[in-house]
Amino acid sequence: MSIDKKELIAKIAQRIQKEPDAIEEILDATLAEIYESLKQGESVSLKNFGTFYIRPEGETSVFKFNPSQRLRKLFGWASTYRGEL
């Protein structure tokens, strides 16, 4: 099962009681900033979610994602997270 962009926007809008158009604008801007940061070789860390980064490998680069301890715990992976899920 997967959630597409439209469904994600609707869920966020409902959660924070904002208009879907505003949420879409914020989501698009967020993704654009993540993209631009990665393009510049910078990593992007989102608390309780994880870190996106690019690692050079020879003549190319590899996109990587390092999940947070909380996300690791959710999936039953080795984690030091002790809080509520």
Side-chain angles (χ1 to χ4, degrees), residues 29-79:
T30 301
L31 294 174
E33 288 303 319
I34 291 171
Y35 176 82
E36 287 301 319
S37 294
L38 293 171
K39 194 168 140 181
Q40 299 298 319
E42 300 170 338
S43 64
V44 177
S45 294
L46 302 174
K47 186 176 180 177
N48 292 325
F49 189 73
T51 302
F52 301 93
Y53 63 99
I54 300 292
R55 186 182 73 211
E57 277 195 7
E59 294 181 21
T60 187
S61 296
V62 177
F63 174 81
K64 293 289 195 173
F65 174 71
N66 184 25
S68 69
Q69 291 299 316
R70 182 179 182 189
L71 196 56
R72 288 175 180 273
K73 175 92 173 196
L74 179 66
F75 289 103
W77 303 335
S79 173

Side-chain angles (χ1 to χ4, degrees), residues 5 9 19-31:
K5 181 181 175 185
I9 289 167
E19 291 298 317
D21 289 345
I23 301 303
E24 183 173 15
E25 186 177 350
I26 292 166
L27 180 59
D28 287 345
T30 301
L31 294 174

Side-chain angles (χ1 to χ4, degrees), residues 2-32:
S2 66
I3 296 174
D4 66 15
K5 181 181 175 185
K6 186 175 180 178
E7 291 170 302
L8 178 61
I9 289 167
K11 286 180 179 238
I12 294 169
Q14 183 178 11
R15 179 179 290 253
I16 63 172
Q17 300 176 349
K18 300 289 182 188
E19 291 298 317
D21 289 345
I23 301 303
E24 183 173 15
E25 186 177 350
I26 292 166
L27 180 59
D28 287 345
T30 301
L31 294 174

